[in-house]
Structures are given as structure tokens and as C-alpha cells.
Amino acid sequence: MSDMRYEPHEVERRWQSVWEQERTWEVSNEAVAGVESSYVLEMLPYPSGEPHMGHLKNYSIGDAVAHFHRRTGRRVLHPMGYDAFGLPAENHAIKTGVHPRESTAASIASFQKQFRRWGISIDWSREFGTHEPRYYRWTQWLFLRMYERGLAYRNEAAVNWCPQDATVLANEQVVDGHCERCGSEVEVRQLEQWFFRITDYADRLLEDLDSISWPEHVVTMQRNWIGRSAGAEVIFRCPEVDVDYPVFTTRPDTLFGATFFVMAPEHPDVMKLVAGTDHEQAVRDYVNKSLTEGQESRGAVEREKTGVPLGRSVINPVNGERIPMYVADYVLMDYGTGAIMAVPAHDERDFEFATKFDLPIRRVIEGGDELPYAGDGPVVNSHQRFDGMHNREALESMVDWLDDQGMGHRSINYRLRDWLLSRQRYWGSPIPVVYCEACGIVPVPDDQLPVELPDITDFAPKGRSPLAAAEDWVSTRCPSCSGPARRETDTMDTFVDSSWYFLRYCDPQNSDAPWDKDAAAEWMPVDQYIGGVEHAILHLMYARFFTKAFADMGLVDTQEPFQTLFTQGMITRGGAKMSKSKGNVISPSSYVDSYGADTTRCYVLFIGPPDQDVDWSDEGVEGVHRFLSRLWRLGAEVSEVTGTAEPVADVAASGDDLELLRKAHWAIEKVTNDMTGRFGFNTAISAVMELVNECYRRREGVAPASLHFAAATAASLIFPFAPHCGSDVYDKLTGHRVWEQPWPRAEQSFLERETVELVIQVNGKVRDRLQAPSEASREELEELARGSEKLQANVDGKEIVKVVVVPGKLVNFVVR
RNA sequence: GCGGGCGUGGUGAAAUUGGUAGACACGCCGGCCUUAGGAGCCGGUGCCGCAAGGCUUGGGGGUUCGAGUCCCUCCGCCCGCACCA
């Protein structure tokens, strides 16, 4: 073969400079009649050091989709930006004194460089970082719109406090009682914080999951996270203090089985109830112990139930019974009302508690071999109007009855809590409000945005935001009364930044609004969103919430930001997640250095199905590199013979030529199918490999035009995965730019064959294979099959009781 | 505990609707070319067996003419949630 060698670096440099100079991937917001728009987006990267293999995989997938969409006739928006605020840069600043702005700028520069080197087809004119004032001006503006609508509010709450990072965490950032980021055990503190009222949207966030095409497991996770339960709120009165205590229950049908009542240690009335009584000391000790105990130990499943009596009682509204009150830490303050009615016969936890404290257990639902029984069945031991009824039916009428009595009503509870968004940290978007002695909380007027982050030098956490020390900045005038005022020193959770960036990409230069509504309408919702499963709950839930809130404000027309979601699998190393601390990180740049971007990109896609976790291994990279190299040399050699020409598949071809052209059309069909409706990149690439192999095997016996067509087709099909190599080979063979060519079409005439292999089975086991005319009838196939010698040998005097003929596939003889 | 996923050669994997298991690639073996090759090209390669042939998709059972694919059950691994009333 040719002496010419595939030099990926040279090839890649050449095409990258064409794309850069010609701004090939930029797209305007002007709709084009008859042309569909498509928005392909990979999750916003957090720029830290260098991009890793996970990024390479993410953008290789997204780029393949973007290219495929373009070449199948769509205008594609495929932008890039950076989630540039955040703790790692700030922690780095604390250690080294380097301002987060500087380290962030360095990381962004390195990300940009890599993304260009990878040849990702990005519209760079839309690039931004969330830390730029021109971006966070609008983050603040949107915060103010949320504030105006009561969707952002300030409240004192028991919050999760991370002692290491010296900041408050969102519920979503607490994992097993530990800080998701640094792993320290989270403490509970009572603090004034800012919240977004995401719980107002709980039902819509739940219902609209049905309207989007997301992986089932992500939908399930979101559903569980929202945790909607339908039940009733029932009022239990404490006559000793004359106070009503409502409880939430999903099982009002078991009300007659309630034998005691439990409050959470955090419940504000616990201490009031025992003040001055014999129980005060014991309760105080218990409550203190519970509050100081970490969330982790308290939440442990195996843990034995603990609690102490309050020495008070409440009245069960359905039967007037007085039942004793307890405080116990298995009741949580932040779910329901922080108090429960305990039905030990039908709830495992209440049963455990009752057994330990020797409390009465009264069965009110029949069924199950033993107690506790949580299933359904007929109601017993309750009231004559309910006894004998099926419990589900009784549940409904009991709630109606409670409602009539004014003792309760239907109620829905959610596991989802409001989103705590304030952080006592520096490197984030300032919350644009001031505190005025006269006017209270005053939002910063729109025309004074952005509230810019001041420069500081001491980033160390001190339990309050480092901004609090910037006295010149903190001290300001009230926009309302011009009196002295102080700025809010907390900054926003970085999830706020990433909850609307996809909208900003639609109109990134707009200085009058976060985006123009028409621009958003042109692109939104994102047609294909691609990222890691680790964001299945947090980011994806927040972005959905923001989009719905914006829709309510009339800022966008769509209810959901991401129509279709693809979650890629992790790339692990030695079975473990790659991390600097484990020292098992492999850098994409070393592979790009030795093999080029195309090989590295194809390899991460070829290694396995993209939604699956894969363990990195170097074995196999060579194979992909060999393949691209073979394709490139094929193109070089063929073009020497044919020159540049239009690829044409000769419909009159026969013999080897026909076989090769068939293979080409088969590959078109296969790659197209793998790209449509599923992400079969690994099998798509292997189909192109087959085509290239076929070219090599048949190259001596076919007409140059056939080889030319097959090679050009291979270049065209590999382009979404190896854009430089695909462009180069296609250019050599045809003189055309492959990205401007429509996606090839498989022609039926080349896919059909005159004969097919017919499998002969006996009792389902393959005994012979024959060539059969593809048009043959069932009878003809059976006749043909009966002629098989191997069949005769296997039937051997036995009786043929049945013959199953599957045209085009097989004939199965059932013998006895 | 609940919910979801997965289990196929020495390895990564493929099999689109129940119809030829193992495409493609790594590795390994052989041949050609070569002064040489860790380059390139061609071929072989699931397991057992000299062969004929038999066996084979985590184990067991079932449905079916036919099961990697559907059903039941058990085992193993991974992920999410986890005292949510």
C-alpha cells in the first residue's frame, strides 16, 4: 500500500484552523423557513485544572449528535461555557492566596484550549463564564424576579452546617449526614437563610416528568426525591395546655389504632409542654442529646428506638381516647408537622417503640400473620360505621367524616424541601439586597445591577461570609430611603448559576435582558441534553424549577428545559472513580498527544455503550488508531488513482463491485439507525470498521469508482466521531467539505439480495445451512430444506411432526 | 428494607420484533513483505474432542417448534433512596 502515513496532528491542525477562521459552527438566531432547529447541549463544565476523560466522553457524544443533526438538515445550536463560581477555586485561594478569579481564568484558558484541540464543533461566539459580571448581573436580576413573586424568601431555619467549609448546605448536598463536598459530618444550626420556594412547584415538577424523554431511572430518582404522599392532617388536642397538634398521616384508616403520640425533639413545643413538671429534666437531657448528635448516627436504620415520655396526653379525635405523648428522635421535624400519631399495630417503627416502652398495641386492620401489619384488609375494632369495610374505602370516608367534624382534612406531603440558596462564601454571585434599618430588606434596583464582587485578600472562612470584612463594600445607602444600609454578604449557591445558563446561550450578548423571548423560543427546549447521572437530582431539578418559574413570569414559553436527556456512564480506573487523591487520573491530553483527538474521541465511544460505566484500559486504543490510519491511507491511495470525483454507486455493478457497494449501503443504514433514537456509537463505529475492512479485502478486484464510493462513504460516516480524519479523507476523494454534505442515504436496491442463507434446524438445533432464493415461498423453502443431506442424517427414520418455516431465515423440523 | 440496573469467550463487547450466539476490537497463533520490525497486508482464534460430534449467554425451573432475549426462583455485583409517618 501507499507509503503515505496518517499524521493526525497535522490533519487535525489543518481542519481546526478552517473551522476557526470560517467560524463554521456559529449559528444565528434567525429562523430559516423549512429548516428545523436543534439545540444540543452538554452539561456546563466546572473549570478546574484540565478537562478529564469524563469531559472528553461527554463532548464526544454531544458533538456526534450535533454533527448528525446538522447533516440531517437541522440548524444546530451547540454552545460552550463555564460554571466558574464555586468552592474549589475559593479553597485553593485560602491555601495559596491566589485570587479565585486568576485560578479560574487559568482553568478556563486550559479548557478552551483542550476543547479546540479536540475539535468539538462549538459556537464560540456564545461562550461565557458564570463568574463574569455580564452573566451574574442577570443571575441577580432573576433572583430579584423570584423575590418579587415570593419565590425567594428569607427565613430562620434549622439548617445543615458544614464545619469544614464553614457554610450552609442544601439538603441535596448532604449525603448520609456528611458534606457532599468535603465529607465532614454536618451539624444542625438555627440560622437566617435565603430559600427558593421550590416546594410550590412540587406537583408540577412531578407531573411534567411524564412529558419529557428522560431515562427511566432518572425520572424515578426525581419522583422519589419529590416524595409526594397523599393522606390527611388530623388534629390531636392536648387538653392540659389547650393546644391543637395536627399530625400528617397516610393511613387515617388506622386512626382507631393510635395508642400514643410522638413529637420530634426539635418541635418548638416540647420544652413548653414539660416546663415546671417532673419530666422537664429528663426531656431536656433527651432533647439536648438528640440535637447535638450528628445526623448520621441519628438516621441509622439499625438503631434502637429511644425516647422519653412528656407526661402529657392528647385526645384522639375519632374516639375521644386520651393517649400519652412522647418525644423521640425517630420523628423528624422537617417532615409533616414534626409530630405523629403512633399506630403500633400497623407501623413497624411505632411497633418497635411500643414494644420497647410497653405501650398498648391495638389491631384495627385484619390481615397478615403477625403484627405489625402494614397491608390492606377489613377494618376492625374501630367504630361500627367503619368496621367490616375495606380499609381503603374506610380511609376515604373517615377523612370525610373528620372534615365534617372539623378535626382534619385531606393533605399532601412532600419530601422535597425548599432550596436553601445562600452561602457564607466569597466566590459566588452576591445576593442583590441591602438591609436598611428603616426599610428592612430592600432589593437592589435593576439599574444598579450587577452588585459586583469586591476584591478581597483574606478568603478564610470564619463562620460568616468573607465579604463581611469588606467594610467599604458592605456599607452602602438604602436605595429606597437613602439612609445607611448594609449589603447582604452571603453569595448564591452555584446551582443558581447553572439553573439558567442554557437560556443565556440563546442570546448571550443581550444587555437589556437575560435573554430575548423570541431567541429563547427559537431554541428552547434543549433537544438533547447530555451529562453525568450525578446530576440526576440536584441540577436537573433546579433547572426544571427555574424554567417553570420563568414560564410563569412570561419570560419563556417552555415548561421544561431539557426535552431529551442522555446520561453517560462514568469512566473509572481500577474500578474506582478517578480522583486526584487516589492518583488514578488519566489525562486525555496524553492520548491526544500520542494518537490525536480523533482516535481518542472514537476510542471513548468505541469502548462500550455510552450510558454504561467503563473501566479505562489502554488496550484497544491502538485498534481504533489503526482503523483511522487504514481509512486515511485508503483515501490517500484511492484518490491517487481517481483524483477528486463525485462518489457514485454504480447501480449496474456486479461481482466484487456489487458486494463492496452493498457493504457501503449496509454501513449507511447501520450507522443511521444507530444514531437515530439510540446512542449506538460503539456499533456505529464498528460498522464503519467493517466497511473499511471490506475495502481492503476487495481492493484488488474492484473498479476504482467502487472503491472511491466506499471510501468516501466511510469518511462521511465516521465524520461525526472523527471529524478531522473524516473531513480530510472526504476532501481528498471529492474536493468537498463533508460537513456541508447531506447525510448519505442507503438505497434499498443495494440492501436486497437474490439469495439468503437458509438455516435448517431439527428440534431447534442448527443442522445445515443452504443458499436459498430470497423470494422463495414457504413451500419452496421447505422443499429445499428437505433436500439437505444433513437433515436426512439427523431425522433418520424419526417422524416429522411439524415444520416451521420462517421466510428469509430458517426451516425448523420438529421430529419425534 | 424499598426502588432501579447488570451478569455473554482470555479481555472490552455485539445480537434492532423470540429465529444462525460471540459482529467489531484487544490479545494470542500462523503466513506474506522486509536487512530488520513493536510498521504494513492476509488468514486463524468460544470451550471440550484426533475426529465425528458434543457443550455454551451467573445457577435451577418454566412457556415455546425455537429463549441471551419472555415468566418464576436462587446467587453475585453495581447505583439510588433510606426511621418521610
Side-chain angles (χ1 to χ4, degrees), chain A residues 430-471:
Chain A
I431 295 171
V433 300
V434 302
Y435 298 95
C436 167
E437 269 175 45
C439 316
I441 297 177
V442 183
V444 174
D446 291 352
D447 60 12
Q448 290 174 32
L449 298 180
V451 175
E452 283 204 48
L453 264 183
D455 267 324
I456 61 166
T457 50
D458 182 8
F459 301 97
K462 299 170 183 69
R464 56 175 194 167
S465 169
L467 282 176
E471 187 52 41

Short mmCIF file of all heavy atoms in Angstrom, two decimals, chain A residues 430-471:
data_model
loop_
_atom_site.label_atom_id
_atom_site.label_comp_id
_atom_site.label_asym_id
_atom_site.label_seq_id
_atom_site.Cartn_x
_atom_site.Cartn_y
_atom_site.Cartn_z
N PRO A 430 -23.10 37.65 44.34
CA PRO A 430 -23.69 38.31 45.52
C PRO A 430 -25.22 38.33 45.42
O PRO A 430 -25.77 38.44 44.32
CB PRO A 430 -23.13 39.73 45.45
CG PRO A 430 -21.87 39.61 44.66
CD PRO A 430 -22.13 38.52 43.66
N ILE A 431 -25.85 38.19 46.56
CA ILE A 431 -27.31 38.27 46.61
C ILE A 431 -27.67 39.76 46.65
O ILE A 431 -27.24 40.48 47.55
CB ILE A 431 -27.86 37.52 47.84
CG1 ILE A 431 -27.55 36.01 47.70
CG2 ILE A 431 -29.36 37.76 48.00
CD1 ILE A 431 -27.85 35.19 48.93
N PRO A 432 -28.42 40.22 45.65
CA PRO A 432 -28.58 41.67 45.45
C PRO A 432 -29.65 42.31 46.34
O PRO A 432 -30.65 42.83 45.85
CB PRO A 432 -28.97 41.77 43.97
CG PRO A 432 -29.74 40.50 43.72
CD PRO A 432 -29.12 39.45 44.59
N VAL A 433 -29.41 42.29 47.65
CA VAL A 433 -30.32 43.02 48.54
C VAL A 433 -29.48 43.77 49.57
O VAL A 433 -28.32 43.43 49.79
CB VAL A 433 -31.31 42.09 49.30
CG1 VAL A 433 -32.18 41.30 48.34
CG2 VAL A 433 -30.58 41.18 50.25
N VAL A 434 -30.09 44.82 50.16
CA VAL A 434 -29.43 45.51 51.26
C VAL A 434 -30.37 45.51 52.47
O VAL A 434 -31.59 45.34 52.32
CB VAL A 434 -29.05 46.98 50.90
CG1 VAL A 434 -28.13 46.99 49.69
CG2 VAL A 434 -30.29 47.80 50.67
N TYR A 435 -29.79 45.65 53.64
CA TYR A 435 -30.58 45.71 54.87
C TYR A 435 -30.53 47.15 55.37
O TYR A 435 -29.46 47.69 55.63
CB TYR A 435 -30.02 44.75 55.91
CG TYR A 435 -30.07 43.32 55.44
CD1 TYR A 435 -28.97 42.71 54.84
CD2 TYR A 435 -31.25 42.57 55.56
CE1 TYR A 435 -29.03 41.41 54.38
CE2 TYR A 435 -31.32 41.27 55.11
CZ TYR A 435 -30.20 40.70 54.52
OH TYR A 435 -30.28 39.41 54.07
N CYS A 436 -31.72 47.75 55.43
CA CYS A 436 -31.82 49.14 55.86
C CYS A 436 -32.51 49.16 57.21
O CYS A 436 -33.48 48.44 57.41
CB CYS A 436 -32.63 49.92 54.82
SG CYS A 436 -33.16 51.55 55.38
N GLU A 437 -31.98 49.94 58.11
CA GLU A 437 -32.57 49.99 59.45
C GLU A 437 -34.01 50.44 59.40
O GLU A 437 -34.86 49.96 60.14
CB GLU A 437 -31.76 50.93 60.33
CG GLU A 437 -30.66 50.23 61.08
CD GLU A 437 -29.80 51.19 61.86
OE1 GLU A 437 -30.38 52.09 62.52
OE2 GLU A 437 -28.56 51.06 61.79
N ALA A 438 -34.28 51.35 58.46
CA ALA A 438 -35.64 51.89 58.37
C ALA A 438 -36.55 51.03 57.51
O ALA A 438 -37.69 50.77 57.88
CB ALA A 438 -35.59 53.31 57.80
N CYS A 439 -36.02 50.57 56.38
CA CYS A 439 -36.91 49.89 55.43
C CYS A 439 -36.82 48.37 55.48
O CYS A 439 -37.58 47.68 54.79
CB CYS A 439 -36.63 50.34 54.00
SG CYS A 439 -36.42 52.11 53.82
N GLY A 440 -35.86 47.83 56.21
CA GLY A 440 -35.72 46.37 56.24
C GLY A 440 -35.00 45.86 55.01
O GLY A 440 -34.08 46.50 54.51
N ILE A 441 -35.46 44.72 54.50
CA ILE A 441 -34.83 44.14 53.32
C ILE A 441 -35.25 44.94 52.09
O ILE A 441 -36.44 45.07 51.81
CB ILE A 441 -35.24 42.67 53.13
CG1 ILE A 441 -34.75 41.83 54.31
CG2 ILE A 441 -34.71 42.12 51.81
CD1 ILE A 441 -35.17 40.38 54.25
N VAL A 442 -34.26 45.47 51.36
CA VAL A 442 -34.57 46.25 50.16
C VAL A 442 -33.80 45.66 48.97
O VAL A 442 -32.58 45.56 49.02
CB VAL A 442 -34.16 47.73 50.33
CG1 VAL A 442 -34.56 48.54 49.10
CG2 VAL A 442 -34.80 48.31 51.59
N PRO A 443 -34.51 45.26 47.92
CA PRO A 443 -33.81 44.74 46.75
C PRO A 443 -33.03 45.83 46.05
O PRO A 443 -33.47 46.98 46.00
CB PRO A 443 -34.94 44.21 45.86
CG PRO A 443 -36.21 44.70 46.43
CD PRO A 443 -35.98 45.20 47.82
N VAL A 444 -31.89 45.49 45.52
CA VAL A 444 -31.11 46.45 44.74
C VAL A 444 -31.85 46.68 43.42
O VAL A 444 -32.23 45.73 42.76
CB VAL A 444 -29.69 45.91 44.48
CG1 VAL A 444 -28.91 46.83 43.55
CG2 VAL A 444 -28.95 45.71 45.81
N PRO A 445 -32.08 47.94 43.06
CA PRO A 445 -32.83 48.21 41.82
C PRO A 445 -32.10 47.64 40.59
O PRO A 445 -30.87 47.59 40.58
CB PRO A 445 -32.87 49.73 41.74
CG PRO A 445 -32.59 50.21 43.12
CD PRO A 445 -31.72 49.18 43.76
N ASP A 446 -32.88 47.23 39.59
CA ASP A 446 -32.33 46.62 38.39
C ASP A 446 -31.22 47.44 37.75
O ASP A 446 -30.23 46.90 37.25
CB ASP A 446 -33.43 46.39 37.34
CG ASP A 446 -34.40 45.31 37.78
OD1 ASP A 446 -34.13 44.64 38.81
OD2 ASP A 446 -35.43 45.13 37.09
N ASP A 447 -31.40 48.77 37.75
CA ASP A 447 -30.41 49.59 37.04
C ASP A 447 -29.09 49.71 37.82
O ASP A 447 -28.14 50.31 37.33
CB ASP A 447 -30.99 50.96 36.69
CG ASP A 447 -31.42 51.73 37.92
OD1 ASP A 447 -31.08 51.31 39.05
OD2 ASP A 447 -32.12 52.75 37.76
N GLN A 448 -29.05 49.16 39.03
CA GLN A 448 -27.79 49.16 39.77
C GLN A 448 -27.08 47.80 39.73
O GLN A 448 -26.08 47.59 40.41
CB GLN A 448 -28.03 49.58 41.22
CG GLN A 448 -28.41 51.07 41.32
CD GLN A 448 -28.81 51.46 42.74
OE1 GLN A 448 -28.31 50.92 43.72
NE2 GLN A 448 -29.74 52.41 42.83
N LEU A 449 -27.64 46.89 38.94
CA LEU A 449 -27.01 45.58 38.81
C LEU A 449 -25.90 45.65 37.77
O LEU A 449 -25.99 46.45 36.84
CB LEU A 449 -28.05 44.53 38.40
CG LEU A 449 -29.20 44.30 39.40
CD1 LEU A 449 -30.15 43.24 38.87
CD2 LEU A 449 -28.67 43.91 40.77
N PRO A 450 -24.89 44.84 37.85
CA PRO A 450 -24.72 43.84 38.91
C PRO A 450 -24.17 44.44 40.20
O PRO A 450 -23.50 45.47 40.18
CB PRO A 450 -23.65 42.91 38.31
CG PRO A 450 -22.83 43.81 37.44
CD PRO A 450 -23.80 44.82 36.88
N VAL A 451 -24.47 43.77 41.29
CA VAL A 451 -23.76 44.04 42.53
C VAL A 451 -22.46 43.26 42.38
O VAL A 451 -22.46 42.04 42.44
CB VAL A 451 -24.54 43.56 43.76
CG1 VAL A 451 -23.71 43.74 45.02
CG2 VAL A 451 -25.87 44.29 43.87
N GLU A 452 -21.39 43.98 42.09
CA GLU A 452 -20.14 43.28 41.79
C GLU A 452 -19.42 42.79 43.03
O GLU A 452 -19.46 43.45 44.07
CB GLU A 452 -19.21 44.18 40.97
CG GLU A 452 -19.64 44.26 39.53
CD GLU A 452 -18.49 44.62 38.60
OE1 GLU A 452 -17.42 43.99 38.73
OE2 GLU A 452 -18.67 45.52 37.76
N LEU A 453 -18.77 41.67 42.89
CA LEU A 453 -17.95 41.13 43.97
C LEU A 453 -16.77 42.05 44.18
O LEU A 453 -16.04 42.35 43.23
CB LEU A 453 -17.38 39.77 43.54
CG LEU A 453 -18.06 38.49 43.95
CD1 LEU A 453 -17.23 37.32 43.44
CD2 LEU A 453 -18.27 38.41 45.44
N PRO A 454 -16.54 42.51 45.40
CA PRO A 454 -15.37 43.34 45.66
C PRO A 454 -14.12 42.46 45.71
O PRO A 454 -14.22 41.27 45.93
CB PRO A 454 -15.66 43.93 47.03
CG PRO A 454 -16.48 42.89 47.70
CD PRO A 454 -17.31 42.25 46.62
N ASP A 455 -12.98 43.07 45.50
CA ASP A 455 -11.73 42.31 45.66
C ASP A 455 -11.39 42.22 47.13
O ASP A 455 -11.46 43.21 47.86
CB ASP A 455 -10.59 43.01 44.92
CG ASP A 455 -10.45 42.44 43.52
OD1 ASP A 455 -10.67 41.22 43.38
OD2 ASP A 455 -10.16 43.21 42.60
N ILE A 456 -11.03 41.05 47.57
CA ILE A 456 -10.58 40.90 48.96
C ILE A 456 -9.30 40.09 48.94
O ILE A 456 -8.91 39.54 47.90
CB ILE A 456 -11.64 40.20 49.85
CG1 ILE A 456 -11.95 38.80 49.31
CG2 ILE A 456 -12.90 41.04 49.93
CD1 ILE A 456 -12.72 37.94 50.29
N THR A 457 -8.66 40.00 50.08
CA THR A 457 -7.41 39.23 50.13
C THR A 457 -7.49 38.07 51.10
O THR A 457 -6.77 37.10 50.97
CB THR A 457 -6.22 40.13 50.53
OG1 THR A 457 -6.61 40.85 51.70
CG2 THR A 457 -5.86 41.08 49.41
N ASP A 458 -8.39 38.19 52.10
CA ASP A 458 -8.49 37.12 53.08
C ASP A 458 -9.74 36.29 52.79
O ASP A 458 -10.86 36.75 52.96
CB ASP A 458 -8.57 37.73 54.49
CG ASP A 458 -8.63 36.63 55.55
OD1 ASP A 458 -8.47 35.44 55.19
OD2 ASP A 458 -8.84 36.98 56.73
N PHE A 459 -9.52 35.06 52.33
CA PHE A 459 -10.65 34.23 51.94
C PHE A 459 -11.05 33.22 53.02
O PHE A 459 -11.97 32.45 52.83
CB PHE A 459 -10.28 33.47 50.66
CG PHE A 459 -9.94 34.38 49.52
CD1 PHE A 459 -8.62 34.69 49.22
CD2 PHE A 459 -10.95 34.96 48.75
CE1 PHE A 459 -8.30 35.54 48.18
CE2 PHE A 459 -10.64 35.81 47.70
CZ PHE A 459 -9.31 36.11 47.41
N ALA A 460 -10.30 33.21 54.12
CA ALA A 460 -10.53 32.17 55.13
C ALA A 460 -11.94 32.24 55.71
O ALA A 460 -12.44 33.32 56.01
CB ALA A 460 -9.50 32.31 56.24
N PRO A 461 -12.60 31.09 55.84
CA PRO A 461 -13.95 31.08 56.40
C PRO A 461 -13.91 31.36 57.90
O PRO A 461 -13.03 30.91 58.60
CB PRO A 461 -14.42 29.64 56.12
CG PRO A 461 -13.20 28.83 55.90
CD PRO A 461 -12.11 29.76 55.48
N LYS A 462 -14.86 32.15 58.35
CA LYS A 462 -14.91 32.48 59.76
C LYS A 462 -16.33 32.34 60.29
O LYS A 462 -16.73 32.99 61.23
CB LYS A 462 -14.46 33.93 59.97
CG LYS A 462 -13.03 34.18 59.51
CD LYS A 462 -12.74 35.67 59.51
CE LYS A 462 -11.33 35.96 58.98
NZ LYS A 462 -11.23 35.68 57.53
N GLY A 463 -17.12 31.56 59.62
CA GLY A 463 -18.49 31.38 60.06
C GLY A 463 -19.41 32.44 59.51
O GLY A 463 -20.61 32.42 59.71
N ARG A 464 -18.85 33.38 58.83
CA ARG A 464 -19.66 34.34 58.10
C ARG A 464 -18.95 34.54 56.77
O ARG A 464 -17.79 34.14 56.61
CB ARG A 464 -19.82 35.66 58.85
CG ARG A 464 -18.48 36.28 59.20
CD ARG A 464 -18.64 37.65 59.84
NE ARG A 464 -17.32 38.30 59.84
CZ ARG A 464 -17.13 39.57 60.09
NH1 ARG A 464 -18.16 40.36 60.35
NH2 ARG A 464 -15.93 40.08 60.07
N SER A 465 -19.64 35.14 55.85
CA SER A 465 -19.04 35.30 54.54
C SER A 465 -17.79 36.16 54.62
O SER A 465 -17.75 37.14 55.36
CB SER A 465 -20.05 35.96 53.60
OG SER A 465 -19.41 36.34 52.42
N PRO A 466 -16.75 35.81 53.86
CA PRO A 466 -15.55 36.66 53.81
C PRO A 466 -15.89 38.07 53.32
O PRO A 466 -15.16 39.01 53.60
CB PRO A 466 -14.64 35.95 52.80
CG PRO A 466 -15.13 34.54 52.74
CD PRO A 466 -16.59 34.59 53.05
N LEU A 467 -17.00 38.20 52.65
CA LEU A 467 -17.42 39.52 52.16
C LEU A 467 -17.72 40.48 53.30
O LEU A 467 -17.62 41.70 53.15
CB LEU A 467 -18.67 39.38 51.29
CG LEU A 467 -18.45 38.90 49.87
CD1 LEU A 467 -19.80 38.72 49.18
CD2 LEU A 467 -17.61 39.90 49.11
N ALA A 468 -18.11 39.90 54.46
CA ALA A 468 -18.49 40.75 55.59
C ALA A 468 -17.34 41.65 56.03
O ALA A 468 -17.55 42.70 56.64
CB ALA A 468 -18.97 39.88 56.75
N ALA A 469 -16.11 41.22 55.72
CA ALA A 469 -14.95 42.00 56.14
C ALA A 469 -14.66 43.17 55.19
O ALA A 469 -13.87 44.05 55.49
CB ALA A 469 -13.72 41.09 56.23
N ALA A 470 -15.31 43.16 54.02
CA ALA A 470 -15.07 44.24 53.05
C ALA A 470 -15.97 45.42 53.41
O ALA A 470 -16.99 45.68 52.76
CB ALA A 470 -15.34 43.76 51.62
N GLU A 471 -15.59 46.11 54.44
CA GLU A 471 -16.44 47.14 55.04
C GLU A 471 -16.90 48.21 54.03
O GLU A 471 -18.07 48.60 54.01
CB GLU A 471 -15.70 47.78 56.23
CG GLU A 471 -16.53 48.75 57.05
CD GLU A 471 -17.88 48.18 57.54
OE1 GLU A 471 -17.92 47.00 57.96
OE2 GLU A 471 -18.89 48.92 57.48
#
